[in-house]
Amino acid sequence: EKTGVLPVTVRVGTRSIRLQHPLFGQKGRVVKLQVQPGKKNGHTVLADVHIYFYVTDPELDEEEEDDSPITPSVDSALVWACCDRSQIPEEAIGLAGSVSGIGLGGREVKVEHVGEPRYLSLLLLSGSDAEKAASAEEVGCSLSSITLSASRAGHCWRSKAISPLSERAQELGGCELLRLLECPV
């Protein structure tokens, strides 16, 4: 649901509902609810903020694809970020490196990664952990705080002066999570 509200009708008692959405991963997330009779029952479920990073090589022209000897290339490989793992193309290439950002309660979350699988992943915010947090100030994370350092054999890492996520946050304000769900950046 685009509004983030999902109305469901369930029987009274303790119920388990499996939520399926890219933000909840391939297996979804099971939420246990206590439904009481005669009351309007509501439950807020906070989503995970999981970001995937992957590399694609530039597309070769037909004349470059022939069997001629391989020559060094100065074309840039591109590093992409997305929040839906199904958007990672089959031709994505693994990379080594680290990614970090500000997660729940303002704490740094950091992941180190070496090459396989085809992507580097960062769970910046666990929705279930955020639901358990004591106050609204603790709940949240900052996509604009994400920094990536990557390496790949035969390549030189060159980051943008300002990350695209930080740049968009400065220009437009708000959060880039919904855009990262729609298309890689």
Side-chain angles (χ1 to χ4, degrees):
E1 179 72 32
K2 290 279 185 195
T3 64
V5 176
L6 175 66
V8 294
T9 303
V10 295
R11 293 183 179 185
V12 171
T14 302
R15 299 286 172 240
S16 293
I17 298 174
R18 179 175 302 278
L19 301 172
Q20 293 292 138
H21 189 278
L23 286 174
F24 297 126
Q26 289 181 319
K27 295 179 182 178
R29 181 156 154 217
V30 175
V31 178
K32 291 190 178 193
L33 306 172
Q34 181 62 42
V35 181
Q36 299 176 357
K39 294 185 176 181
K40 183 175 182 176
N41 294 271
H43 187 80
T44 300
V45 178
L46 300 178
D48 295 343
V49 178
H50 211 140
I51 302 110
Y52 303 95
F53 298 88
Y54 61 93
V55 175
T56 59
D57 279 333
E59 292 183 18
L60 298 175
D61 294 334
E62 284 183 32
E63 49 193 57
E64 293 179 46
E65 291 179 355
D66 63 9
D67 292 330
S68 59
I70 298 174
T71 57
S73 171
V74 293
D75 291 336
S76 295
L78 299 174
V79 177
W80 299 88
C82 66
C83 284
D84 182 349
R85 201 166 75 182
S86 70
Q87 294 172 339
I88 301 172
E90 288 296 320
E91 65 273 8
I93 301 164
L95 70 154
S98 64
V99 62
S100 64
I102 304 300
L104 185 63
R107 291 182 288 278
E108 181 183 40
V109 179
K110 185 172 185 173
V111 173
E112 305 260 345
H113 181 76
V114 181
E116 290 295 326
R118 298 175 299 122
Y119 55 85
L120 187 154
S121 67
L122 173 70
L123 178 60
L124 190 59
L125 177 77
S126 161
S128 57
D129 289 350
E131 289 170 12
K132 296 172 193 165
S135 69
E137 288 91 40
E138 284 188 28
V139 177
C141 62
S142 172
L143 289 175
S144 64
S145 72
I146 292 175
T147 59
L148 173 69
S149 177
S151 65
R152 182 175 164 207
H155 290 76
C156 177
W157 172 248
R158 184 183 57 189
S159 63
K160 287 190 151 192
I162 299 176
S163 82
L165 295 173
S166 181
E167 186 175 49
R168 295 268 304 185
Q170 289 173 9
E171 289 176 6
L172 305 174
C175 181
E176 289 292 291
L177 182 63
L178 294 178
R179 186 167 77 106
L180 283 175
L181 272 172
E182 293 297 320
C183 64
V185 231

Short mmCIF file of all heavy atoms in Angstrom, two decimals, residues 43-81:
data_model
loop_
_atom_site.label_atom_id
_atom_site.label_comp_id
_atom_site.label_asym_id
_atom_site.label_seq_id
_atom_site.Cartn_x
_atom_site.Cartn_y
_atom_site.Cartn_z
N HIS A 43 -1.72 -1.51 14.92
CA HIS A 43 -0.35 -1.91 15.22
C HIS A 43 0.58 -1.23 14.22
O HIS A 43 0.36 -1.32 13.02
CB HIS A 43 -0.20 -3.44 15.13
CG HIS A 43 1.12 -3.94 15.59
ND1 HIS A 43 1.43 -4.10 16.93
CD2 HIS A 43 2.23 -4.29 14.90
CE1 HIS A 43 2.67 -4.55 17.03
NE2 HIS A 43 3.18 -4.67 15.82
N THR A 44 1.59 -0.58 14.73
CA THR A 44 2.57 0.06 13.86
C THR A 44 3.76 -0.88 13.69
O THR A 44 4.32 -1.37 14.68
CB THR A 44 3.06 1.39 14.47
OG1 THR A 44 1.93 2.25 14.63
CG2 THR A 44 4.09 2.05 13.59
N VAL A 45 4.10 -1.13 12.45
CA VAL A 45 5.24 -1.98 12.12
C VAL A 45 6.27 -1.10 11.43
O VAL A 45 5.98 -0.46 10.43
CB VAL A 45 4.83 -3.14 11.18
CG1 VAL A 45 6.03 -3.98 10.81
CG2 VAL A 45 3.75 -3.99 11.83
N LEU A 46 7.47 -1.07 11.98
CA LEU A 46 8.54 -0.29 11.38
C LEU A 46 9.36 -1.20 10.48
O LEU A 46 9.68 -2.33 10.84
CB LEU A 46 9.43 0.33 12.46
CG LEU A 46 8.70 1.29 13.42
CD1 LEU A 46 9.67 1.82 14.47
CD2 LEU A 46 8.07 2.44 12.65
N ALA A 47 9.67 -0.69 9.31
CA ALA A 47 10.39 -1.48 8.31
C ALA A 47 11.89 -1.46 8.55
O ALA A 47 12.43 -0.51 9.13
CB ALA A 47 10.09 -0.94 6.92
N ASP A 48 12.54 -2.52 8.09
CA ASP A 48 14.00 -2.54 8.08
C ASP A 48 14.49 -1.56 7.02
O ASP A 48 13.82 -1.33 6.01
CB ASP A 48 14.52 -3.93 7.69
CG ASP A 48 14.18 -5.00 8.70
OD1 ASP A 48 13.84 -4.67 9.86
OD2 ASP A 48 14.27 -6.19 8.34
N VAL A 49 15.64 -0.98 7.26
CA VAL A 49 16.31 -0.17 6.23
C VAL A 49 17.58 -0.93 5.86
O VAL A 49 18.57 -0.91 6.57
CB VAL A 49 16.62 1.25 6.73
CG1 VAL A 49 17.35 2.04 5.66
CG2 VAL A 49 15.34 1.96 7.15
N HIS A 50 17.47 -1.66 4.76
CA HIS A 50 18.54 -2.53 4.27
C HIS A 50 18.99 -1.97 2.93
O HIS A 50 18.18 -1.83 2.02
CB HIS A 50 17.98 -3.94 4.09
CG HIS A 50 18.99 -5.00 4.32
ND1 HIS A 50 18.71 -6.16 4.98
CD2 HIS A 50 20.30 -5.09 3.97
CE1 HIS A 50 19.78 -6.91 5.03
NE2 HIS A 50 20.75 -6.29 4.43
N ILE A 51 20.27 -1.64 2.80
CA ILE A 51 20.78 -1.07 1.55
C ILE A 51 21.80 -2.03 0.96
O ILE A 51 22.63 -2.59 1.66
CB ILE A 51 21.44 0.31 1.78
CG1 ILE A 51 20.42 1.27 2.40
CG2 ILE A 51 21.91 0.92 0.46
CD1 ILE A 51 20.73 1.58 3.79
N TYR A 52 21.67 -2.25 -0.35
CA TYR A 52 22.56 -3.15 -1.09
C TYR A 52 23.41 -2.32 -2.05
O TYR A 52 22.90 -1.43 -2.72
CB TYR A 52 21.76 -4.16 -1.89
CG TYR A 52 20.82 -4.97 -1.03
CD1 TYR A 52 19.49 -4.58 -0.88
CD2 TYR A 52 21.26 -6.10 -0.35
CE1 TYR A 52 18.63 -5.31 -0.08
CE2 TYR A 52 20.41 -6.83 0.44
CZ TYR A 52 19.09 -6.43 0.58
OH TYR A 52 18.24 -7.15 1.38
N PHE A 53 24.69 -2.62 -2.13
CA PHE A 53 25.61 -1.94 -3.05
C PHE A 53 26.19 -2.99 -4.00
O PHE A 53 26.56 -4.08 -3.57
CB PHE A 53 26.76 -1.28 -2.27
CG PHE A 53 26.29 -0.22 -1.32
CD1 PHE A 53 25.92 -0.55 -0.03
CD2 PHE A 53 26.19 1.09 -1.73
CE1 PHE A 53 25.47 0.42 0.85
CE2 PHE A 53 25.74 2.07 -0.86
CZ PHE A 53 25.38 1.73 0.43
N TYR A 54 26.26 -2.64 -5.27
CA TYR A 54 26.81 -3.56 -6.25
C TYR A 54 27.49 -2.77 -7.36
O TYR A 54 27.32 -1.55 -7.47
CB TYR A 54 25.72 -4.48 -6.82
CG TYR A 54 24.61 -3.77 -7.54
CD1 TYR A 54 24.66 -3.57 -8.93
CD2 TYR A 54 23.50 -3.28 -6.86
CE1 TYR A 54 23.65 -2.92 -9.59
CE2 TYR A 54 22.48 -2.63 -7.52
CZ TYR A 54 22.56 -2.44 -8.89
OH TYR A 54 21.55 -1.79 -9.54
N VAL A 55 28.27 -3.47 -8.18
CA VAL A 55 29.05 -2.85 -9.25
C VAL A 55 28.58 -3.38 -10.59
O VAL A 55 28.28 -4.57 -10.72
CB VAL A 55 30.55 -3.17 -9.08
CG1 VAL A 55 31.37 -2.64 -10.24
CG2 VAL A 55 31.07 -2.62 -7.77
N THR A 56 28.53 -2.50 -11.58
CA THR A 56 28.35 -2.93 -12.97
C THR A 56 29.46 -2.32 -13.81
O THR A 56 29.91 -1.21 -13.54
CB THR A 56 26.98 -2.50 -13.55
OG1 THR A 56 26.87 -1.07 -13.49
CG2 THR A 56 25.83 -3.15 -12.80
N ASP A 57 29.91 -3.09 -14.78
CA ASP A 57 30.91 -2.58 -15.72
C ASP A 57 30.20 -1.81 -16.83
O ASP A 57 29.03 -2.07 -17.12
CB ASP A 57 31.70 -3.74 -16.33
CG ASP A 57 32.79 -4.23 -15.40
OD1 ASP A 57 33.28 -3.42 -14.58
OD2 ASP A 57 33.16 -5.41 -15.49
N PRO A 58 30.91 -0.89 -17.47
CA PRO A 58 30.30 -0.19 -18.60
C PRO A 58 29.99 -1.17 -19.72
O PRO A 58 30.68 -2.19 -19.86
CB PRO A 58 31.37 0.82 -19.02
CG PRO A 58 32.63 0.39 -18.37
CD PRO A 58 32.28 -0.48 -17.21
N GLU A 59 28.95 -0.88 -20.47
CA GLU A 59 28.60 -1.75 -21.60
C GLU A 59 29.60 -1.54 -22.73
O GLU A 59 30.00 -0.42 -23.02
CB GLU A 59 27.18 -1.43 -22.08
CG GLU A 59 26.13 -1.81 -21.06
CD GLU A 59 24.72 -1.56 -21.56
OE1 GLU A 59 24.52 -1.44 -22.79
OE2 GLU A 59 23.83 -1.50 -20.71
N LEU A 60 30.01 -2.65 -23.35
CA LEU A 60 30.96 -2.58 -24.45
C LEU A 60 30.23 -2.41 -25.77
O LEU A 60 29.15 -2.95 -25.97
CB LEU A 60 31.79 -3.86 -24.50
CG LEU A 60 32.67 -4.16 -23.28
CD1 LEU A 60 33.33 -5.52 -23.44
CD2 LEU A 60 33.70 -3.07 -23.10
N ASP A 61 30.85 -1.64 -26.67
CA ASP A 61 30.32 -1.53 -28.03
C ASP A 61 30.56 -2.86 -28.72
O ASP A 61 31.45 -3.62 -28.35
CB ASP A 61 31.03 -0.41 -28.81
CG ASP A 61 30.74 0.96 -28.21
OD1 ASP A 61 29.67 1.11 -27.57
OD2 ASP A 61 31.58 1.87 -28.39
N GLU A 62 29.79 -3.13 -29.77
CA GLU A 62 29.94 -4.39 -30.50
C GLU A 62 31.35 -4.60 -31.01
O GLU A 62 31.89 -5.70 -30.95
CB GLU A 62 28.94 -4.45 -31.67
CG GLU A 62 27.54 -4.76 -31.22
CD GLU A 62 26.59 -4.88 -32.40
OE1 GLU A 62 27.02 -5.32 -33.48
OE2 GLU A 62 25.42 -4.53 -32.22
N GLU A 63 31.99 -3.54 -31.50
CA GLU A 63 33.34 -3.69 -32.03
C GLU A 63 34.35 -3.99 -30.93
O GLU A 63 35.39 -4.58 -31.16
CB GLU A 63 33.77 -2.46 -32.84
CG GLU A 63 33.52 -1.15 -32.11
CD GLU A 63 33.64 0.06 -33.03
OE1 GLU A 63 32.94 0.11 -34.05
OE2 GLU A 63 34.46 0.91 -32.71
N GLU A 64 34.06 -3.63 -29.67
CA GLU A 64 34.95 -3.93 -28.56
C GLU A 64 34.79 -5.37 -28.08
O GLU A 64 35.64 -5.89 -27.37
CB GLU A 64 34.69 -2.99 -27.38
CG GLU A 64 35.03 -1.54 -27.66
CD GLU A 64 34.72 -0.66 -26.46
OE1 GLU A 64 35.07 -1.04 -25.33
OE2 GLU A 64 34.12 0.39 -26.66
N GLU A 65 33.67 -6.01 -28.42
CA GLU A 65 33.37 -7.35 -27.94
C GLU A 65 34.02 -8.45 -28.76
O GLU A 65 33.92 -9.62 -28.41
CB GLU A 65 31.86 -7.56 -27.89
CG GLU A 65 31.17 -6.73 -26.84
CD GLU A 65 29.66 -6.93 -26.83
OE1 GLU A 65 29.14 -7.65 -27.71
OE2 GLU A 65 29.01 -6.36 -25.96
N ASP A 66 34.70 -8.12 -29.86
CA ASP A 66 35.29 -9.17 -30.68
C ASP A 66 36.46 -9.82 -29.93
O ASP A 66 36.75 -9.51 -28.79
CB ASP A 66 35.72 -8.62 -32.05
CG ASP A 66 36.81 -7.56 -31.95
OD1 ASP A 66 37.34 -7.37 -30.85
OD2 ASP A 66 37.10 -6.93 -32.98
N ASP A 67 37.15 -10.73 -30.58
CA ASP A 67 38.20 -11.50 -29.94
C ASP A 67 39.57 -10.82 -29.95
O ASP A 67 40.59 -11.48 -29.78
CB ASP A 67 38.32 -12.87 -30.62
CG ASP A 67 37.09 -13.72 -30.37
OD1 ASP A 67 36.48 -13.54 -29.30
OD2 ASP A 67 36.76 -14.56 -31.23
N SER A 68 39.61 -9.52 -30.14
CA SER A 68 40.89 -8.83 -30.16
C SER A 68 41.52 -8.84 -28.77
O SER A 68 40.84 -9.02 -27.77
CB SER A 68 40.71 -7.38 -30.65
OG SER A 68 39.82 -6.70 -29.81
N PRO A 69 42.84 -8.67 -28.69
CA PRO A 69 43.51 -8.71 -27.39
C PRO A 69 42.91 -7.69 -26.42
O PRO A 69 42.50 -6.60 -26.82
CB PRO A 69 44.96 -8.35 -27.71
CG PRO A 69 45.11 -8.47 -29.19
CD PRO A 69 43.73 -8.37 -29.78
N ILE A 70 42.89 -8.05 -25.16
CA ILE A 70 42.34 -7.16 -24.14
C ILE A 70 43.33 -6.05 -23.86
O ILE A 70 44.51 -6.30 -23.61
CB ILE A 70 42.02 -7.94 -22.85
CG1 ILE A 70 40.97 -9.01 -23.15
CG2 ILE A 70 41.57 -7.01 -21.75
CD1 ILE A 70 40.69 -9.93 -21.98
N THR A 71 42.85 -4.82 -23.93
CA THR A 71 43.69 -3.67 -23.62
C THR A 71 43.14 -2.99 -22.38
O THR A 71 41.94 -3.04 -22.11
CB THR A 71 43.70 -2.67 -24.80
OG1 THR A 71 42.36 -2.29 -25.07
CG2 THR A 71 44.34 -3.26 -26.02
N PRO A 72 43.99 -2.35 -21.61
CA PRO A 72 43.51 -1.66 -20.41
C PRO A 72 42.45 -0.63 -20.76
O PRO A 72 42.51 0.02 -21.81
CB PRO A 72 44.76 -0.99 -19.84
CG PRO A 72 45.91 -1.72 -20.44
CD PRO A 72 45.43 -2.21 -21.78
N SER A 73 41.48 -0.49 -19.90
CA SER A 73 40.38 0.45 -20.13
C SER A 73 40.37 1.49 -19.03
O SER A 73 40.67 1.20 -17.88
CB SER A 73 39.05 -0.31 -20.14
OG SER A 73 37.98 0.59 -20.16
N VAL A 74 39.99 2.70 -19.38
CA VAL A 74 39.85 3.75 -18.38
C VAL A 74 38.37 4.03 -18.10
O VAL A 74 38.04 4.96 -17.40
CB VAL A 74 40.56 5.06 -18.81
CG1 VAL A 74 42.05 4.86 -18.83
CG2 VAL A 74 40.05 5.56 -20.14
N ASP A 75 37.49 3.20 -18.68
CA ASP A 75 36.07 3.36 -18.40
C ASP A 75 35.80 3.07 -16.93
O ASP A 75 36.43 2.22 -16.32
CB ASP A 75 35.23 2.38 -19.25
CG ASP A 75 35.24 2.75 -20.72
OD1 ASP A 75 35.48 3.94 -21.02
OD2 ASP A 75 35.04 1.86 -21.55
N SER A 76 34.88 3.80 -16.38
CA SER A 76 34.56 3.64 -14.97
C SER A 76 33.52 2.54 -14.77
O SER A 76 32.52 2.49 -15.48
CB SER A 76 33.99 4.94 -14.41
OG SER A 76 34.95 5.96 -14.44
N ALA A 77 33.79 1.68 -13.81
CA ALA A 77 32.75 0.77 -13.34
C ALA A 77 31.86 1.61 -12.42
O ALA A 77 32.32 2.57 -11.81
CB ALA A 77 33.37 -0.40 -12.59
N LEU A 78 30.60 1.28 -12.34
CA LEU A 78 29.67 2.07 -11.53
C LEU A 78 29.25 1.30 -10.29
O LEU A 78 28.97 0.10 -10.36
CB LEU A 78 28.42 2.43 -12.35
CG LEU A 78 28.68 3.28 -13.59
CD1 LEU A 78 27.40 3.44 -14.39
CD2 LEU A 78 29.22 4.64 -13.19
N VAL A 79 29.19 1.98 -9.16
CA VAL A 79 28.69 1.41 -7.91
C VAL A 79 27.28 1.94 -7.72
O VAL A 79 27.03 3.14 -7.81
CB VAL A 79 29.57 1.80 -6.71
CG1 VAL A 79 28.98 1.24 -5.42
CG2 VAL A 79 31.00 1.30 -6.91
N TRP A 80 26.35 1.02 -7.49
CA TRP A 80 24.93 1.35 -7.34
C TRP A 80 24.46 1.03 -5.93
O TRP A 80 25.00 0.14 -5.28
CB TRP A 80 24.09 0.53 -8.32
CG TRP A 80 24.42 0.78 -9.75
CD1 TRP A 80 25.36 0.13 -10.49
CD2 TRP A 80 23.80 1.72 -10.62
NE1 TRP A 80 25.36 0.61 -11.77
CE2 TRP A 80 24.42 1.60 -11.88
CE3 TRP A 80 22.79 2.67 -10.45
CZ2 TRP A 80 24.06 2.38 -12.96
CZ3 TRP A 80 22.43 3.44 -11.53
CH2 TRP A 80 23.06 3.30 -12.77
N ALA A 81 23.41 1.72 -5.49
CA ALA A 81 22.76 1.43 -4.20
C ALA A 81 21.27 1.24 -4.46
O ALA A 81 20.68 1.94 -5.27
CB ALA A 81 22.97 2.59 -3.22
#
